Amino acid sequence: MYSLLAEIPVPTGAQFINTNGEHDTPVVEITYSVRDHVRNAKRTMTKSIVVPPNGGAVASLLQDVDIVGQALSPSGNKRALLRNLKGSKTARIIEIWNKGVLEAEMDVTEQHGDFYAHEYLSSLSFSSTESSILYVAEGKAPEAKNVFDKYRFNPDFGEGLDGKRRPTLYLFSWNKLSSTTFQNQGILTRLKTLDGVRFGQAIFSPNSDKIVYATGYEFTKDGRILGIKSCYNRPTGIWQLQLETEPEDAEEISTKAEKLTPSHLSCRSPRIVQHDGRSQLVWLSAPSGGAHIATQELYSLDITSDASTSLGGVEPQVHVAVVDTPGSDGFPGLYPTYNIPKDFLLASSTGPSILLRSQWGSRTVILDISLQGRINDVKNLTPQTAEDIFSWNVLATDSKSRFVCVRSSPSVPYEILLGEVDSAGSVSWRVIDRPTLPEFVSSALNTVRATIMPISGRGLVETVVILGKKTEDGTIPPCITSLHGGPHGTSSTAFSATTTALALEGYTISFPNYTGSPGFGETFLQDLVGKCGDLDVQDCIAAARHLVSIGVSEEGPGKQLITGGSHGGFLAAHLIGQFPTFFSAAIMCNPVTTCGEIANTDIPDWYYAEFGHPYPISSSHPIAADTQEQPKPNPPLLLTETFNALRIASPIAHVDSVCIPVLLLVGAADRRVSPMQGIEYYHALKARYAGGKDGKGKRKVEMLIFEGESHPMDGVEAAKAWFEAMKEWFGDAVANV
């Protein structure tokens, strides 16, 4: 069953491809990620969905694509495509299409490395004249003239971004018609930018082809590029780049760079909003340093004249501010993904608004954020009923009144919906596509139930509980406590093949959202800082005991199981050490087991900041507004007293008490948590379990090593092996009672 569920196409993006006209029939192109167990690969596929005003939507078949980036021009007439051609000497191609006609094309295989297609640095933007595009790719290493040039250290962006160390902005322009090919001959030019800052997420100003806005990623004072994946607190800012020369035939264009945002804020994801003759630059922001994910803010800056803040221009405006504790409307603050969607705008009679996915408790919802009026003028567009357990994600808008989104739950995989906002602000919903499943799979999914339960006596802590089919004899099934990482992650009600497959195997699964989880207000999130290994552990055991107290699960041999990865593995290891007889078996993936071991990680600041120890992150490029700030000290060296404090807060401090079967899953290419943490924990248990004779194999430890797998362990083969190992390991624990 797992393989069937895991191979259900997962929607990852969308684009309206006919936005012109007031009464057009929407045509939406959806991009999917599809796991292929035969090829052991993730495939990128697309389908088009036509949505007539009356009658059912018509969807094309899924087809493979080699497109890694695409964008529509402001008029909607032109389309830019970035292609990666596998198995060909021509590896990278740029195409510009104009109403179905190929207008320009260039093979850029020799000019640079891979296109950047991930969310952290990638971009693809049309200029206002629609004669140029801007994108990011891996620049070529400079020619080595001596041993220093050849071997000089140049850090990459860490976990999940291996080898990405030269993000380079490229300008592709086309304006000369060839008399032989009748196609425009393109010119590719590099943008020369400021040393010591790496630029990505670049977009053109709507007012000038010579002005670009981008996110700048700064080195720390000690020369690091701290890992950026799942870290929203890095020394990043919004910059304005002015092109100083025309492209013509030059290989490189100089730019004048100016930072627009203050250094105490980590800013990212610039986007453009145009309305009533005004141009606004909007972006997301969080505190620099501290918790790796905190409550976000949404800012805008009037760039109608492309004025800057640091030279005394117009000041930025806050549209969504930090919420400490949810108020009467329930809004907990802003917790989006790393980026504002590429197509994010809704237009109404009262002014423009932005659609964002955001965490709201244990669900993800779609927020409509007004850019007019008061701060935190936010509306939750998703249904708010006790029966609605869906989690939602917005994929794209048509910049008018329509948007396409996806929703799912543990029993309902990935439905595509078209939403439309009327003049009164009400939303009408229409399901336009859902996966086609075998009848026996649909019948099985109908037996899966989900609910969100508050945990008595633990404040805002709650757990998502997934239950399978009720047993015929009324027995209570074994319960798996599954712990999210971060610690500032959140378990949601979204569909997961692994979770649903476990429920169909006869387990109850509980996902506690302990103190520190985003989606419950800034106070709840920050309350965990300095208390990791204590407060989060107490929340999780309280959640497990609460389910026992209300009859959802029961205590005893083979009845309570536990799993978690990363910080979730940290918690699982703590819980089996601090409460050694409560759980009957444990599985941990890439766990943090010894917090003082920080040499091999892309985020050394995590081990300080999350445990309440200072780790200053300072900007190497302050702006005028930063002049009153005191110089920050150097990043710390690990002192004996800090190491001892971290070790006391680590699961390894309780390893002598562990007495149940433990399975460790370790990605050999993990750069976030050193594989040696899991390996050393394995050896520690192996020594303590040696010679143990309990008659039923309760004191046993195993470890599986996955070569080439990094921190998430999300490869097609690795994820399947993870599920199969979990099924067998927990099955043995339940059977051997």
Side-chain angles (χ1 to χ4, degrees):
M1 182 64 78
Y2 166 81
S3 294
L4 289 171
L5 297 177
E7 289 178 351
I8 295 172
V10 180
T12 58
Q15 186 169 279
F16 285 84
I17 57 177
N18 65 332
T19 57
N20 294 329
E22 293 297 324
H23 305 289
D24 55 318
T25 296
V27 179
V28 184
E29 185 177 83
I30 311 291
T31 302
Y32 296 85
S33 177
V34 183
R35 290 175 180 265
D36 187 328
H37 287 98
V38 174
R39 302 183 190 184
N40 188 25
K42 295 179 184 178
R43 299 162 63 183
T44 300
M45 308 184 79
T46 65
K47 71 163 63 172
S48 295
I49 304 174
V50 181
V51 191
N54 302 304
V58 180
S60 66
L61 297 176
L62 279 169
Q63 57 182 350
D64 285 285
V65 294
D66 52 20
I67 298 169
V68 296
Q70 58 179 313
L72 286 175
S73 65
S75 69
N77 293 327
K78 295 185 180 183
R79 191 178 192 183
L81 302 178
L82 305 180
R83 296 186 183 272
N84 264 351
L85 307 180
K86 296 181 179 179
S88 170
K89 290 184 179 180
T90 304
R92 289 175 286 277
I93 295 286
I94 301 171
E95 295 177 355
I96 307 297
W97 294 82
N98 188 347
K99 295 181 178 179
V101 175
L102 184 61
E103 183 172 278
E105 183 181 28
M106 177 176 275
D107 177 1
V108 294
T109 306
E110 299 300 322
Q111 278 79 359
H112 55 66
D114 288 342
F115 296 119
Y116 278 37
H118 54 79
E119 62 183 318
Y120 300 100
L121 290 132
S122 65
S123 64
L124 182 55
S125 174
F126 269 94
S127 65
S128 59
T129 59
E130 303 190 359
S131 60
S132 300
I133 61 168
L134 189 66
Y135 67 91
V136 182
E138 179 71 10
K140 285 197 167 185
E143 181 181 352
K145 298 179 181 179
N146 54 52
V147 68
F148 292 97
D149 290 344
K150 186 173 183 178
Y151 295 106
R152 181 174 288 114
F153 173 64
N154 184 23
D156 64 11
F157 282 90
E159 169 66 33
L161 298 168
D162 288 4
K164 299 293 188 292
R165 52 173 51 90
R166 295 182 183 87
T168 305
L169 304 183
Y170 288 92
L171 183 69
F172 177 62
S173 304
W174 62 99
N175 52 23
K176 296 179 181 178
L177 190 65
S178 166
S179 59
T180 56
T181 65
F182 299 101
Q183 287 183 3
N184 283 314
Q185 300 302 294
I187 299 170
L188 187 69
T189 312
R190 279 190 318 274
L191 270 60
K192 183 179 180 181
T193 54
L194 190 67
D195 289 339
V197 181
R198 295 174 174 178
F199 290 97
Q201 301 186 327
I203 54 174
F204 275 108
S205 166
N207 312 310
S208 170
D209 288 9
K210 284 193 165 189
I211 294 181
V212 169
Y213 294 96
T215 301
Y217 298 80
E218 300 178 32
F219 287 75
T220 58
K221 191 175 182 181
D222 56 351
R224 300 177 190 268
I225 287 287
L226 293 169
I228 59 174
K229 188 175 182 180
S230 302
C231 300
Y232 299 0
N233 65 339
R234 295 325 194 194
T236 61
I238 305 300
W239 292 66
Q240 183 190 82
L241 306 177
Q242 297 184 30
L243 281 59
E244 296 188 335
T245 55
E246 295 291 343
E248 296 301 331
D249 295 322
E251 292 186 358
E252 188 172 76
I253 298 178
S254 296
T255 60
K256 178 184 176 183
E258 185 178 351
K259 189 177 179 182
L260 305 180
T261 53
S263 299
H264 70 280
L265 295 178
S266 177
C267 303
R268 66 188 194 277
S269 192
R271 296 290 188 266
I272 299 294
V273 175
Q274 291 183 279
H275 181 73
D276 288 343
R278 293 175 56 217
S279 299
Q280 288 176 280
L281 181 70
V282 298
W283 65 87
L284 295 170
S285 174
S288 180
H292 277 214
I293 293 179
T295 311
Q296 310 289 290
E297 294 183 301
L298 182 72
Y299 281 83
S300 77
L301 176 69
D302 191 317
I303 58 165
T304 305
S305 63
D306 285 312
S308 72
T309 56
S310 60
L311 294 181
V314 180
E315 290 295 320
Q317 179 181 354
V318 180
H319 295 282
V320 180
V322 170
V323 174
D324 290 325
T325 304
S328 58
D329 61 356
F331 177 54
L334 190 59
Y335 303 96
T337 55
Y338 195 78
N339 280 331
I340 299 170
K342 182 175 64 175
D343 301 315
F344 60 90
L345 192 64
L346 281 184
S348 70
S349 58
T350 59
S353 61
I354 290 175
L355 290 197
L356 281 178
R357 164 196 165 178
S358 185
Q359 194 74 43
W360 188 310
S362 296
R363 300 171 64 226
T364 56
V365 302
I366 298 173
L367 300 182
D368 184 358
I369 302 171
S370 173
L371 296 180
Q372 309 290 318
R374 61 186 177 86
I375 295 175
N376 291 353
D377 188 357
V378 176
K379 182 179 180 182
N380 183 357
L381 296 185
T382 51
Q384 297 292 291
T385 63
E387 296 76 24
D388 193 326
I389 202 73
F390 287 109
S391 279
W392 299 69
N393 186 20
V394 60
L395 299 176
T397 76
D398 67 354
S399 299
K400 299 172 186 175
S401 60
R402 298 184 182 119
F403 58 98
V404 63
C405 59
V406 58
R407 70 179 182 186
S408 69
S409 73
S411 61
V412 181
Y414 314 119
E415 294 182 331
I416 303 294
L417 291 90
L418 182 71
E420 186 161 6
V421 182
D422 63 22
S423 58
S426 299
V427 182
S428 59
W429 298 101
R430 184 175 176 186
V431 177
I432 60 174
D433 195 49
R434 51 171 56 97
T436 302
L437 304 173
E439 177 59 34
F440 76 94
V441 175
S442 297
S443 297
L445 289 175
N446 288 334
T447 68
V448 177
R449 297 157 291 149
T451 187
I452 300 172
M453 293 185 179
I455 304 305
S456 178
R458 303 303 298 185
L460 296 176
V461 175
E462 60 188 29
T463 188
V464 179
V465 180
I466 317 298
L467 305 101
K469 184 179 180 179
K470 293 182 179 179
T471 58
E472 294 182 0
D473 59 2
T475 58
I476 297 175
C479 181
I480 301 171
T481 295
S482 183
L483 305 165
H484 69 70
H488 308 296
T490 308
S491 293
S492 79
T493 59
F495 179 80
S496 159
T498 297
T499 299
T500 299
L502 285 172
L504 295 176
E505 290 289 335
Y507 294 98
T508 295
I509 307 99
S510 170
F511 296 90
N513 281 320
Y514 48 84
T515 303
S517 304
F520 300 86
E522 179 72 352
T523 299
F524 184 81
L525 188 151
Q526 295 291 346
D527 275 350
L528 181 61
V529 174
K531 303 172 188 173
C532 291
D534 180 14
L535 181 57
D536 45 3
V537 171
Q538 296 302 322
D539 284 345
C540 292
I541 193 64
R545 286 172 170 164
H546 178 73
L547 296 187
V548 172
S549 72
I550 61 175
V552 171
S553 69
E554 59 185 350
E555 195 171 348
K559 291 298 185 179
Q560 295 290 335
L561 311 162
I562 191 166
T563 187
S566 190
H567 189 84
F570 167 90
L571 290 175
H574 259 298
L575 285 157
I576 63 176
Q578 294 189 40
F579 306 94
T581 62
F582 187 86
F583 299 97
S584 297
I587 300 174
M588 294 171 283
C589 177
N590 291 329
V592 176
T593 60
T594 308
C595 299
E597 305 291 340
I598 66 173
N600 295 310
T601 177
D602 66 329
I603 55 169
D605 60 305
W606 184 89
Y607 292 89
Y608 288 86
E610 298 294 355
F611 290 84
H613 303 283
Y615 191 103
I617 295 179
S618 57
S619 170
S620 56
H621 294 273
I623 65 173
D626 297 324
T627 55
Q628 300 303 316
E629 292 190 2
Q630 295 296 318
K632 293 186 177 180
N634 295 329
L637 298 175
L638 187 59
L639 302 177
T640 302
E641 54 268 31
T642 307
F643 177 86
N644 290 338
L646 291 173
R647 189 172 181 84
I648 290 170
S650 300
I652 199 70
H654 304 281
V655 70
D656 288 334
S657 300
V658 178
C659 58
I660 62 172
V662 175
L663 174 63
L664 291 147
L665 308 175
V666 175
D670 189 351
R671 295 184 60 191
R672 182 128 302 175
V673 177
S674 169
M676 290 308 300
Q677 296 225 18
I679 292 170
E680 288 299 324
Y681 193 79
Y682 164 81
H683 287 302
L685 283 182
K686 195 75 172 174
R688 285 154 180 79
Y689 282 8
K693 296 180 180 180
D694 56 20
K696 292 188 176 181
K698 292 181 180 179
R699 289 173 63 85
K700 66 177 181 178
V701 58
E702 288 275 9
M703 181 168 60
L704 307 181
I705 300 287
F706 295 82
E707 298 295 334
E709 285 294 328
S710 59
H711 195 56
M713 283 258 290
D714 196 37
V716 173
E717 182 179 2
K720 184 176 181 180
W722 186 345
F723 173 78
E724 291 174 347
M726 185 181 299
K727 178 181 173 182
E728 182 173 338
W729 195 260
F730 284 159
D732 287 347
V734 172
N736 295 329
V737 296

